[in-house]
């Protein structure tokens, strides 16, 4: 489970930096993948001056850690995982080339303090990344209205001094 204080500290290390690239790990079966959020397993945000920031969703929790992308791998009859750059029309492809101005932790409407997502405010857009019911939420703008009964934007993270 993602600790809000630890997650905020990781984000402080990248706020104010340019996002140079996004690497995605996606599930493919028989040469075909499902849609944007449906095929996404993990992704890495490559901010200048830092190791890649891996984003992992599990159930209702989102965790961040600095780690290098893993290699693509074959799962025989079960398909394969392909790892490579984010590409249009997928949502994460809109992020490279922007500076992260600040971020806000997104939490569930529960007494348990854990991180369910992040609202990233970039130069040209705001972007929500969240894990809800083991499914990715990837959208430009604010938390989608249909999810506001489950998720709330909380602690704002600004650049470290």
């Amino acid at each position: 489970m993602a600790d809000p204080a630890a997650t905020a500290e990781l984000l402080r290390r990248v706020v104010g930096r340019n996002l140079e690239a996004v690497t995605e790990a996606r599930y493919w079966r028989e040469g075909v993948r499902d849609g944007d959020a449906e095929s996404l397993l993990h992704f890495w945000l490559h901010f200048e001056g830092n190791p890649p920031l891996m984003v992992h969703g599990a159930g209702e929790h989102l965790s961040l850690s600095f780690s290098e992308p893993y290699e693509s791998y074959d799962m025989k009859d079960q398909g394969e995982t392909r790892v490579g750059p984010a590409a249009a029309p997928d949502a994460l492809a809109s992020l490279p080339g922007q500076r992260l101005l600040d971020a806000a932790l997104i939490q569930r409407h529960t007494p348990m303090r854990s991180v369910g997502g992040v609202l990233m405010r970039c130069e040209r857009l705001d972007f929500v990344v969240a894990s809800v019911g083991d499914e990715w939420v990837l959208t430009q703008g604010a938390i989608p209205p249909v999810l506001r009964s489950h998720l709330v934007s909380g602690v704002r993270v600004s650049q470290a001094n």
Side-chain angles (χ1 to χ4, degrees):
M1 174 177 349
D3 172 54
T7 302
E9 189 53 40
L10 289 173
L11 287 168
R12 276 189 196 90
R13 291 182 53 187
V14 298
V15 167
R17 299 191 181 258
N18 290 322
L19 179 59
E20 297 174 333
V22 176
T23 300
E24 301 175 323
R26 290 189 176 274
Y27 175 71
W28 289 68
R29 185 169 177 89
E30 297 177 3
V32 178
R33 59 159 250 217
D34 288 332
D36 188 7
E38 295 82 10
S39 66
L40 186 65
L41 300 172
H42 302 107
F43 63 94
W44 295 262
L45 302 171
H46 300 265
F47 287 96
E48 65 178 340
N50 280 291
L53 184 62
M54 181 183 186
V55 182
H56 173 75
E60 306 295 325
H61 308 287
L62 188 82
S63 63
L64 306 177
S65 62
F66 287 113
S67 68
E68 293 295 325
Y70 48 76
E71 297 290 324
S72 298
Y73 57 91
D74 186 4
M75 298 179 291
K76 308 285 187 232
D77 294 339
Q78 300 304 312
E80 63 183 306
T81 296
R82 295 184 187 177
V83 179
D90 294 332
L92 293 170
S94 65
L95 296 175
Q98 297 192 66
R99 188 166 61 93
L100 181 62
L101 302 176
D102 65 22
L105 302 183
I106 297 174
Q107 297 180 315
R108 292 186 43 88
H109 282 291
T110 64
M112 183 179 8
R113 297 195 66 226
S114 70
V115 178
V118 175
L119 170 61
M120 299 185 294
R121 191 169 65 92
C122 299
E123 292 173 307
R124 295 183 301 278
L125 59 87
D126 290 349
F127 197 86
V128 171
V129 173
S131 183
V132 176
D134 233 4
E135 300 292 330
W136 286 107
V137 175
L138 308 168
T139 186
Q140 290 187 20
I143 297 170
V146 69
L147 296 176
R148 289 189 189 143
S149 63
H150 302 285
L151 301 172
V152 61
S153 182
V155 176
R156 182 139 318 262
V157 179
S158 59
Q159 193 168 3
N161 294 327

Coordinates of all heavy atoms in Angstrom, one line a residue, residues 57-148:
G57 N -0.1 0.3 -10.4 CA -1.5 0.3 -9.8 C -1.8 -1.1 -9.4 O -1.5 -2.1 -10.0
A58 N -2.4 -1.2 -8.2 CA -2.8 -2.5 -7.6 C -4.1 -2.3 -6.8 O -4.1 -1.6 -5.8 CB -1.8 -3.1 -6.7
G59 N -5.2 -2.8 -7.4 CA -6.5 -2.6 -6.7 C -6.9 -1.1 -6.6 O -7.1 -0.5 -7.6
E60 N -6.9 -0.6 -5.4 CA -7.3 0.8 -5.2 C -6.1 1.7 -4.9 O -6.2 2.8 -4.5 CB -8.3 0.9 -4.1 CG -9.5 0.0 -4.2 CD -10.4 0.5 -5.4 OE1 -10.5 1.7 -5.7 OE2 -10.9 -0.4 -6.0
H61 N -4.9 1.1 -5.1 CA -3.7 1.8 -4.6 C -2.7 2.1 -5.8 O -2.6 1.3 -6.7 CB -2.9 1.0 -3.6 CG -3.8 0.6 -2.4 ND1 -4.2 1.5 -1.5 CD2 -4.4 -0.6 -2.1 CE1 -5.0 0.9 -0.6 NE2 -5.1 -0.4 -1.0
L62 N -2.0 3.2 -5.7 CA -1.0 3.5 -6.7 C 0.3 3.7 -6.0 O 0.4 4.4 -5.0 CB -1.4 4.9 -7.4 CG -0.5 5.3 -8.6 CD1 -1.0 4.5 -9.8 CD2 -0.6 6.8 -8.8
S63 N 1.3 3.0 -6.5 CA 2.6 3.2 -5.9 C 3.6 3.7 -6.9 O 3.6 3.4 -8.1 CB 3.1 1.8 -5.2 OG 3.3 0.9 -6.2
L64 N 4.6 4.4 -6.4 CA 5.6 5.0 -7.2 C 7.0 4.6 -6.6 O 7.1 4.4 -5.4 CB 5.6 6.6 -7.1 CG 4.3 7.2 -7.5 CD1 4.4 8.7 -7.3 CD2 3.9 6.9 -8.9
S65 N 7.9 4.3 -7.5 CA 9.3 4.0 -7.1 C 10.2 4.3 -8.2 O 9.9 4.3 -9.4 CB 9.4 2.5 -6.7 OG 9.2 1.7 -7.8
F66 N 11.5 4.7 -7.9 CA 12.5 4.9 -8.9 C 13.1 3.6 -9.3 O 13.6 2.9 -8.5 CB 13.6 5.8 -8.4 CG 13.1 7.3 -8.3 CD1 13.0 7.9 -7.0 CD2 12.8 8.0 -9.4 CE1 12.6 9.2 -6.9 CE2 12.4 9.3 -9.3 CZ 12.2 9.9 -8.1
S67 N 12.9 3.2 -10.6 CA 13.5 1.9 -11.1 C 13.5 2.0 -12.6 O 12.7 2.6 -13.2 CB 12.7 0.7 -10.6 OG 11.4 0.7 -11.2
E68 N 14.4 1.2 -13.2 CA 14.5 1.2 -14.6 C 13.4 0.3 -15.2 O 13.0 -0.7 -14.5 CB 15.9 0.6 -15.0 CG 17.1 1.5 -14.7 CD 17.1 2.8 -15.5 OE1 16.7 2.8 -16.7 OE2 17.5 3.8 -14.9
P69 N 13.0 0.6 -16.4 CA 12.0 -0.3 -17.0 C 12.6 -1.7 -17.2 O 13.7 -1.9 -17.5 CB 11.8 0.3 -18.4 CG 12.1 1.8 -18.2 CD 13.2 1.7 -17.2
Y70 N 11.7 -2.7 -17.1 CA 12.1 -4.1 -17.3 C 12.0 -4.4 -18.8 O 11.5 -3.6 -19.6 CB 11.3 -5.1 -16.5 CG 9.8 -4.9 -16.5 CD1 9.1 -5.3 -17.6 CD2 9.1 -4.4 -15.4 CE1 7.7 -5.2 -17.6 CE2 7.8 -4.3 -15.4 CZ 7.0 -4.7 -16.5 OH 5.7 -4.6 -16.5
E71 N 12.5 -5.5 -19.2 CA 12.5 -5.9 -20.6 C 11.2 -6.5 -21.0 O 10.5 -7.1 -20.2 CB 13.6 -7.0 -20.9 CG 15.1 -6.5 -20.6 CD 15.5 -5.5 -21.6 OE1 15.2 -5.6 -22.8 OE2 16.2 -4.5 -21.3
S72 N 10.9 -6.5 -22.3 CA 9.7 -7.2 -22.8 C 9.9 -8.7 -22.6 O 11.0 -9.2 -22.5 CB 9.6 -7.0 -24.3 OG 9.4 -5.6 -24.6
Y73 N 8.8 -9.4 -22.4 CA 8.9 -10.9 -22.2 C 7.7 -11.6 -22.8 O 6.6 -11.1 -22.9 CB 9.1 -11.2 -20.7 CG 8.1 -10.7 -19.8 CD1 6.9 -11.5 -19.5 CD2 8.2 -9.5 -19.2 CE1 6.0 -11.0 -18.6 CE2 7.2 -9.0 -18.3 CZ 6.1 -9.8 -18.0 OH 5.1 -9.3 -17.2
D74 N 8.0 -12.8 -23.2 CA 7.0 -13.7 -23.8 C 6.4 -14.6 -22.7 O 7.2 -15.2 -21.9 CB 7.7 -14.6 -24.9 CG 6.7 -15.4 -25.7 OD1 5.5 -15.3 -25.4 OD2 7.2 -16.2 -26.5
M75 N 5.1 -14.8 -22.7 CA 4.4 -15.7 -21.7 C 3.8 -16.9 -22.4 O 2.8 -17.4 -22.0 CB 3.4 -14.9 -21.0 CG 3.9 -13.7 -20.2 SD 2.7 -12.8 -19.3 CE 1.8 -12.0 -20.6
K76 N 4.5 -17.3 -23.5 CA 4.0 -18.5 -24.3 C 2.6 -18.4 -24.7 O 2.2 -17.4 -25.3 CB 4.3 -19.8 -23.5 CG 5.7 -19.9 -23.0 CD 6.7 -20.2 -24.1 CE 8.0 -20.5 -23.6 NZ 9.1 -19.7 -24.2
D77 N 1.7 -19.3 -24.3 CA 0.3 -19.3 -24.7 C -0.5 -18.2 -24.1 O -1.6 -17.9 -24.5 CB -0.3 -20.7 -24.4 CG 0.3 -21.8 -25.1 OD1 0.9 -21.6 -26.2 OD2 0.1 -23.0 -24.7
Q78 N 0.1 -17.5 -23.1 CA -0.7 -16.5 -22.4 C -0.5 -15.1 -23.0 O -1.0 -14.1 -22.5 CB -0.3 -16.5 -20.9 CG -0.5 -17.8 -20.2 CD -2.0 -18.2 -20.3 OE1 -2.9 -17.4 -20.0 NE2 -2.2 -19.4 -20.7
G79 N 0.3 -15.0 -24.0 CA 0.6 -13.7 -24.6 C 2.0 -13.2 -24.4 O 2.9 -14.0 -24.1
E80 N 2.1 -11.9 -24.4 CA 3.4 -11.3 -24.1 C 3.3 -9.9 -23.5 O 2.2 -9.3 -23.6 CB 4.2 -11.2 -25.4 CG 3.6 -10.3 -26.5 CD 4.3 -10.2 -27.8 OE1 5.5 -9.9 -27.8 OE2 3.6 -10.4 -28.8
T81 N 4.3 -9.4 -22.9 CA 4.4 -8.1 -22.4 C 5.4 -7.3 -23.2 O 6.6 -7.7 -23.3 CB 4.8 -8.0 -20.9 OG1 3.8 -8.7 -20.1 CG2 5.0 -6.6 -20.4
R82 N 5.0 -6.2 -23.9 CA 5.9 -5.4 -24.7 C 6.1 -4.1 -23.9 O 5.2 -3.5 -23.4 CB 5.2 -5.1 -26.0 CG 5.0 -6.3 -26.9 CD 4.5 -5.9 -28.2 NE 4.1 -7.1 -29.0 CZ 3.6 -7.0 -30.2 NH1 3.3 -5.8 -30.8 NH2 3.3 -8.1 -30.9
V83 N 7.4 -3.8 -23.9 CA 7.8 -2.6 -23.2 C 8.5 -1.6 -24.2 O 9.4 -2.0 -24.9 CB 8.9 -2.9 -22.0 CG1 9.3 -1.7 -21.3 CG2 8.3 -3.9 -21.1
G84 N 8.0 -0.4 -24.2 CA 8.5 0.6 -25.2 C 7.9 2.0 -24.9 O 7.1 2.2 -24.0
P85 N 8.3 2.9 -25.8 CA 7.8 4.3 -25.6 C 6.3 4.4 -25.8 O 5.7 3.7 -26.6 CB 8.5 5.1 -26.7 CG 9.5 4.1 -27.3 CD 9.2 2.7 -26.9
A86 N 5.7 5.3 -25.0 CA 4.3 5.7 -25.2 C 4.1 6.3 -26.5 O 4.9 7.1 -27.0 CB 3.9 6.6 -24.1
A87 N 3.0 5.9 -27.2 CA 2.8 6.4 -28.5 C 1.3 6.8 -28.7 O 0.4 6.2 -28.1 CB 3.1 5.4 -29.6
A88 N 1.1 7.9 -29.5 CA -0.3 8.3 -29.8 C -1.0 7.1 -30.5 O -0.4 6.3 -31.2 CB -0.3 9.5 -30.7
P89 N -2.3 7.0 -30.2 CA -3.2 7.9 -29.6 C -3.3 7.6 -28.1 O -4.2 8.2 -27.4 CB -4.5 7.6 -30.2 CG -4.5 6.1 -30.5 CD -3.0 5.8 -30.8
D90 N -2.5 6.8 -27.4 CA -2.6 6.5 -26.0 C -2.4 7.8 -25.2 O -1.6 8.6 -25.5 CB -1.6 5.4 -25.6 CG -2.0 4.1 -26.3 OD1 -3.2 3.9 -26.6 OD2 -1.0 3.3 -26.5
A91 N -3.1 7.9 -24.1 CA -3.1 9.1 -23.2 C -1.8 9.5 -22.7 O -1.5 10.7 -22.7 CB -4.1 8.8 -22.1
L92 N -0.9 8.6 -22.3 CA 0.4 8.9 -21.7 C 1.3 9.6 -22.7 O 2.3 10.2 -22.4 CB 1.0 7.7 -21.1 CG 0.3 7.2 -19.8 CD1 0.9 5.8 -19.4 CD2 0.4 8.2 -18.7
A93 N 1.0 9.4 -24.0 CA 1.9 10.0 -25.1 C 1.8 11.5 -25.1 O 2.6 12.2 -25.7 CB 1.5 9.4 -26.4
S94 N 0.8 12.1 -24.4 CA 0.6 13.5 -24.4 C 1.5 14.2 -23.4 O 1.6 15.4 -23.4 CB -0.8 13.9 -24.1 OG -1.2 13.5 -22.8
L95 N 2.2 13.4 -22.6 CA 2.9 14.0 -21.4 C 4.4 14.4 -21.8 O 4.9 15.5 -21.3 CB 2.9 13.1 -20.2 CG 1.6 12.8 -19.6 CD1 1.7 11.8 -18.5 CD2 1.0 14.1 -19.1
P96 N 5.2 13.7 -22.5 CA 6.6 14.1 -22.8 C 6.7 15.5 -23.4 O 5.8 15.9 -24.2 CB 7.1 13.0 -23.7 CG 6.2 11.8 -23.4 CD 4.9 12.4 -23.2
G97 N 7.7 16.2 -23.0 CA 8.0 17.5 -23.5 C 7.4 18.6 -22.6 O 7.5 19.8 -23.0
Q98 N 6.8 18.2 -21.5 CA 6.2 19.2 -20.6 C 7.0 19.2 -19.2 O 7.5 18.2 -18.8 CB 4.8 18.9 -20.3 CG 3.9 19.0 -21.6 CD 2.5 18.9 -21.2 OE1 2.0 19.8 -20.6 NE2 1.8 17.8 -21.6
R99 N 6.9 20.3 -18.6 CA 7.4 20.4 -17.2 C 6.3 20.2 -16.2 O 5.2 20.7 -16.4 CB 8.0 21.8 -17.0 CG 8.8 22.0 -15.7 CD 9.6 23.2 -15.7 NE 8.8 24.4 -15.8 CZ 8.4 25.2 -14.8 NH1 8.7 24.8 -13.6 NH2 7.7 26.2 -15.0
L100 N 6.6 19.4 -15.2 CA 5.7 19.1 -14.1 C 5.7 20.3 -13.2 O 6.7 20.6 -12.5 CB 6.0 17.8 -13.4 CG 5.1 17.4 -12.3 CD1 3.7 17.2 -12.8 CD2 5.6 16.2 -11.6
L101 N 4.6 21.1 -13.1 CA 4.5 22.3 -12.2 C 4.3 21.9 -10.8 O 4.9 22.5 -9.9 CB 3.4 23.2 -12.8 CG 3.6 23.7 -14.2 CD1 2.4 24.5 -14.6 CD2 5.0 24.4 -14.4
D102 N 3.3 21.0 -10.5 CA 3.1 20.5 -9.2 C 2.2 19.2 -9.4 O 1.8 18.9 -10.5 CB 2.5 21.5 -8.2 CG 1.1 22.0 -8.6 OD1 0.4 21.4 -9.3 OD2 0.8 23.1 -8.1
A103 N 1.9 18.6 -8.2 CA 1.1 17.4 -8.3 C 0.2 17.4 -7.0 O 0.5 18.1 -6.0 CB 1.9 16.2 -8.3
A104 N -0.9 16.6 -7.0 CA -1.7 16.4 -5.8 C -2.0 14.9 -5.7 O -2.3 14.2 -6.7 CB -3.0 17.2 -5.9
L105 N -1.8 14.4 -4.5 CA -2.1 13.0 -4.2 C -3.7 12.9 -4.3 O -4.4 13.7 -3.8 CB -1.6 12.6 -2.8 CG -0.2 12.8 -2.6 CD1 0.2 12.2 -1.2 CD2 0.7 12.1 -3.6
I106 N -4.1 11.8 -4.9 CA -5.5 11.4 -4.9 C -5.7 10.3 -3.9 O -5.0 9.3 -4.0 CB -5.9 11.0 -6.3 CG1 -5.8 12.2 -7.3 CG2 -7.4 10.6 -6.3 CD1 -6.0 11.9 -8.7
Q107 N -6.7 10.5 -3.1 CA -7.0 9.4 -2.1 C -8.4 9.0 -2.2 O -9.3 9.7 -2.7 CB -6.7 10.0 -0.7 CG -5.2 10.3 -0.5 CD -4.8 10.8 0.8 OE1 -5.5 11.7 1.4 NE2 -3.7 10.3 1.4
R108 N -8.7 7.8 -1.6 CA -10.1 7.3 -1.6 C -10.8 8.0 -0.5 O -10.3 8.5 0.5 CB -10.1 5.8 -1.4 CG -9.5 5.1 -2.6 CD -9.6 3.6 -2.5 NE -10.9 3.1 -1.9 CZ -12.0 2.9 -2.6 NH1 -12.0 3.0 -3.9 NH2 -13.1 2.5 -2.1
H109 N -12.2 8.0 -0.6 CA -13.0 8.5 0.5 C -13.1 7.4 1.6 O -14.2 6.8 1.8 CB -14.4 8.8 0.0 CG -14.5 10.1 -0.7 ND1 -14.4 11.3 -0.1 CD2 -14.7 10.4 -2.1 CE1 -14.5 12.3 -1.0 NE2 -14.7 11.7 -2.2
T110 N -12.0 7.1 2.3 CA -12.0 6.1 3.4 C -11.1 6.6 4.4 O -10.2 7.5 4.2 CB -11.5 4.7 2.9 OG1 -10.2 4.9 2.5 CG2 -12.3 4.2 1.8
P111 N -11.2 6.1 5.7 CA -10.3 6.6 6.7 C -8.9 6.1 6.5 O -7.9 6.6 7.1 CB -10.9 5.9 8.0 CG -12.1 5.2 7.6 CD -12.3 5.3 6.1
M112 N -8.7 5.0 5.7 CA -7.4 4.5 5.5 C -6.6 5.5 4.6 O -7.0 5.9 3.6 CB -7.4 3.1 4.8 CG -6.1 2.5 4.6 SD -6.1 0.9 3.7 CE -7.7 0.6 3.2
R113 N -5.4 5.8 5.1 CA -4.6 6.8 4.4 C -3.7 6.1 3.4 O -2.6 5.6 3.8 CB -3.8 7.6 5.3 CG -4.6 8.5 6.3 CD -3.9 9.5 7.0 NE -3.4 10.5 6.0 CZ -2.1 11.0 5.9 NH1 -1.3 10.6 6.8 NH2 -1.8 11.8 5.0
S114 N -4.1 6.0 2.1 CA -3.2 5.5 1.1 C -3.5 6.3 -0.2 O -4.4 7.0 -0.3 CB -3.5 4.0 0.9 OG -4.7 3.8 0.3
V115 N -2.5 6.1 -1.1 CA -2.6 6.9 -2.4 C -3.3 6.0 -3.4 O -2.9 4.9 -3.7 CB -1.2 7.3 -2.8 CG1 -1.3 8.0 -4.2 CG2 -0.5 8.1 -1.8
G116 N -4.3 6.6 -4.0 CA -5.1 5.9 -5.1 C -4.7 6.5 -6.5 O -5.0 5.9 -7.5
G117 N -4.0 7.6 -6.5 CA -3.7 8.3 -7.7 C -2.9 9.5 -7.5 O -2.6 10.0 -6.4
V118 N -2.6 10.2 -8.7 CA -1.9 11.5 -8.7 C -2.5 12.4 -9.7 O -2.8 11.9 -10.8 CB -0.4 11.3 -9.0 CG1 0.3 12.6 -9.1 CG2 0.2 10.4 -7.9
L119 N -2.8 13.6 -9.4 CA -3.2 14.6 -10.3 C -1.9 15.4 -10.6 O -1.3 16.1 -9.7 CB -4.3 15.5 -9.8 CG -4.6 16.8 -10.5 CD1 -5.1 16.5 -11.9 CD2 -5.6 17.6 -9.8
M120 N -1.4 15.4 -11.9 CA -0.2 16.1 -12.3 C -0.6 17.3 -13.0 O -1.4 17.3 -14.0 CB 0.7 15.2 -13.2 CG 1.1 13.9 -12.5 SD 2.3 12.9 -13.4 CE 1.2 12.4 -14.8
R121 N -0.1 18.5 -12.6 CA -0.3 19.7 -13.3 C 0.9 20.1 -14.1 O 2.0 20.3 -13.5 CB -0.7 20.8 -12.3 CG -1.2 22.1 -13.0 CD -1.8 23.1 -12.1 NE -0.8 23.6 -11.2 CZ -0.1 24.7 -11.4 NH1 -0.3 25.4 -12.5 NH2 0.8 25.1 -10.5
C122 N 0.8 20.0 -15.4 CA 1.9 20.3 -16.3 C 1.7 21.6 -17.0 O 0.7 22.3 -16.7 CB 2.0 19.2 -17.4 SG 2.3 17.5 -16.7
E123 N 2.6 22.0 -17.8 CA 2.5 23.3 -18.5 C 1.3 23.5 -19.3 O 0.7 24.5 -19.3 CB 3.8 23.5 -19.3 CG 5.0 23.7 -18.5 CD 6.3 23.8 -19.4 OE1 6.5 22.9 -20.2 OE2 7.0 24.7 -19.2
R124 N 0.9 22.4 -20.1 CA -0.2 22.6 -21.0 C -1.4 21.8 -20.7 O -2.4 21.9 -21.3 CB 0.3 22.2 -22.4 CG 1.4 23.1 -23.0 CD 1.8 22.8 -24.4 NE 2.3 21.4 -24.6 CZ 3.6 21.1 -24.3 NH1 4.4 22.0 -23.9 NH2 4.0 19.9 -24.5
L125 N -1.3 21.0 -19.6 CA -2.5 20.2 -19.3 C -2.4 19.6 -17.9 O -1.3 19.6 -17.3 CB -2.7 19.0 -20.3 CG -1.6 18.0 -20.4 CD1 -1.7 16.9 -19.4 CD2 -1.7 17.4 -21.8
D126 N -3.5 19.3 -17.3 CA -3.6 18.5 -16.0 C -3.9 17.1 -16.4 O -4.6 16.8 -17.4 CB -4.7 19.0 -15.1 CG -4.4 20.4 -14.5 OD1 -3.2 20.9 -14.7 OD2 -5.3 21.0 -13.9
F127 N -3.3 16.1 -15.7 CA -3.4 14.7 -16.0 C -3.7 13.9 -14.8 O -2.9 14.0 -13.8 CB -2.2 14.3 -16.8 CG -2.4 13.0 -17.5 CD1 -2.9 13.0 -18.8 CD2 -2.1 11.8 -16.9 CE1 -3.1 11.8 -19.5 CE2 -2.3 10.6 -17.6 CZ -2.8 10.6 -18.9
V128 N -4.7 13.1 -14.8 CA -5.0 12.2 -13.7 C -4.6 10.8 -14.0 O -4.9 10.2 -15.1 CB -6.5 12.2 -13.4 CG1 -6.9 11.1 -12.4 CG2 -7.0 13.6 -12.9
V129 N -3.8 10.2 -13.1 CA -3.4 8.8 -13.1 C -3.9 8.2 -11.8 O -3.6 8.7 -10.7 CB -1.9 8.6 -13.2 CG1 -1.5 7.1 -13.1 CG2 -1.4 9.2 -14.4
A130 N -4.8 7.1 -11.9 CA -5.3 6.5 -10.7 C -5.5 5.0 -10.9 O -5.6 4.6 -12.1 CB -6.6 7.2 -10.2
S131 N -5.6 4.3 -9.8 CA -6.0 2.9 -9.9 C -7.3 2.7 -9.1 O -7.3 3.0 -7.9 CB -4.8 2.0 -9.3 OG -5.1 0.7 -9.4
V132 N -8.3 2.2 -9.8 CA -9.6 2.0 -9.2 C -10.1 0.7 -9.6 O -10.3 0.3 -10.8 CB -10.6 3.1 -9.7 CG1 -12.0 2.9 -9.2 CG2 -10.2 4.5 -9.4
G133 N -10.3 -0.2 -8.6 CA -10.8 -1.5 -8.9 C -9.9 -2.3 -9.8 O -10.3 -3.1 -10.6
D134 N -8.6 -2.1 -9.6 CA -7.5 -2.8 -10.4 C -7.6 -2.4 -11.9 O -7.1 -3.0 -12.7 CB -7.7 -4.3 -10.3 CG -6.4 -5.0 -9.9 OD1 -5.4 -4.3 -9.6 OD2 -6.3 -6.2 -9.9
E135 N -8.2 -1.2 -12.2 CA -8.2 -0.7 -13.5 C -7.6 0.7 -13.5 O -7.7 1.5 -12.5 CB -9.7 -0.5 -14.0 CG -10.4 -1.8 -14.0 CD -10.0 -2.8 -15.1 OE1 -9.4 -2.3 -16.1 OE2 -10.1 -4.0 -14.9
W136 N -6.9 1.0 -14.6 CA -6.2 2.3 -14.7 C -7.2 3.4 -15.1 O -8.1 3.2 -15.9 CB -5.2 2.3 -15.8 CG -3.9 1.6 -15.5 CD1 -3.5 0.4 -16.0 CD2 -2.9 2.0 -14.6 NE1 -2.3 0.1 -15.4 CE2 -1.9 1.1 -14.6 CE3 -2.7 3.2 -13.8 CZ2 -0.7 1.2 -13.8 CZ3 -1.6 3.3 -13.1 CH2 -0.6 2.3 -13.1
V137 N -7.1 4.6 -14.5 CA -7.8 5.8 -14.9 C -6.7 6.7 -15.4 O -5.8 7.1 -14.7 CB -8.5 6.5 -13.7 CG1 -9.1 7.8 -14.2 CG2 -9.6 5.5 -13.1
L138 N -6.8 7.1 -16.7 CA -5.8 7.9 -17.4 C -6.6 9.0 -18.1 O -7.2 8.7 -19.1 CB -4.9 7.1 -18.4 CG -4.3 5.9 -17.9 CD1 -3.7 5.1 -19.0 CD2 -3.1 6.2 -16.9
T139 N -6.6 10.2 -17.6 CA -7.4 11.2 -18.3 C -6.8 12.6 -18.1 O -6.2 12.9 -17.1 CB -8.9 11.2 -17.7 OG1 -9.7 12.0 -18.5 CG2 -8.9 11.5 -16.3
Q140 N -7.0 13.4 -19.1 CA -6.7 14.8 -19.0 C -7.7 15.6 -18.2 O -8.9 15.2 -18.2 CB -6.5 15.5 -20.4 CG -5.3 14.9 -21.1 CD -5.1 15.7 -22.4 OE1 -5.5 16.8 -22.6 NE2 -4.3 15.0 -23.3
G141 N -7.3 16.6 -17.5 CA -8.2 17.4 -16.7 C -8.3 17.0 -15.2 O -7.3 16.5 -14.7
A142 N -9.4 17.1 -14.6 CA -9.7 16.8 -13.2 C -10.1 15.4 -13.1 O -10.3 14.6 -14.0 CB -10.7 17.8 -12.6
I143 N -10.3 15.0 -11.8 CA -10.9 13.6 -11.5 C -12.3 13.6 -12.2 O -13.1 14.5 -12.1 CB -11.1 13.4 -10.0 CG1 -9.7 13.5 -9.3 CG2 -11.8 12.1 -9.7 CD1 -9.8 13.5 -7.8
P144 N -12.5 12.5 -13.0 CA -13.8 12.4 -13.7 C -15.0 12.4 -12.8 O -14.9 11.8 -11.7 CB -13.7 11.1 -14.5 CG -12.2 10.8 -14.6 CD -11.6 11.4 -13.3
P145 N -16.1 13.1 -13.1 CA -17.2 13.2 -12.2 C -17.7 11.8 -11.7 O -18.1 11.7 -10.6 CB -18.3 13.9 -13.1 CG -17.5 14.7 -14.1 CD -16.3 13.9 -14.3
V146 N -17.7 10.8 -12.6 CA -18.2 9.5 -12.2 C -17.4 8.9 -11.0 O -17.8 8.0 -10.3 CB -18.3 8.6 -13.4 CG1 -16.9 8.2 -13.9 CG2 -19.1 7.3 -13.1
L147 N -16.1 9.4 -10.8 CA -15.2 8.8 -9.8 C -15.1 9.7 -8.6 O -14.5 9.4 -7.6 CB -13.8 8.6 -10.4 CG -13.7 7.5 -11.5 CD1 -12.3 7.4 -12.0 CD2 -14.2 6.2 -10.9
R148 N -15.8 10.9 -8.6 CA -15.6 11.8 -7.4 C -16.2 11.3 -6.1 O -15.9 11.7 -5.1 CB -16.2 13.2 -7.8 CG -15.3 13.9 -8.8 CD -15.8 15.3 -9.0 NE -15.0 15.8 -10.1 CZ -15.5 16.7 -11.0 NH1 -16.7 17.1 -10.9 NH2 -14.7 17.1 -12.0

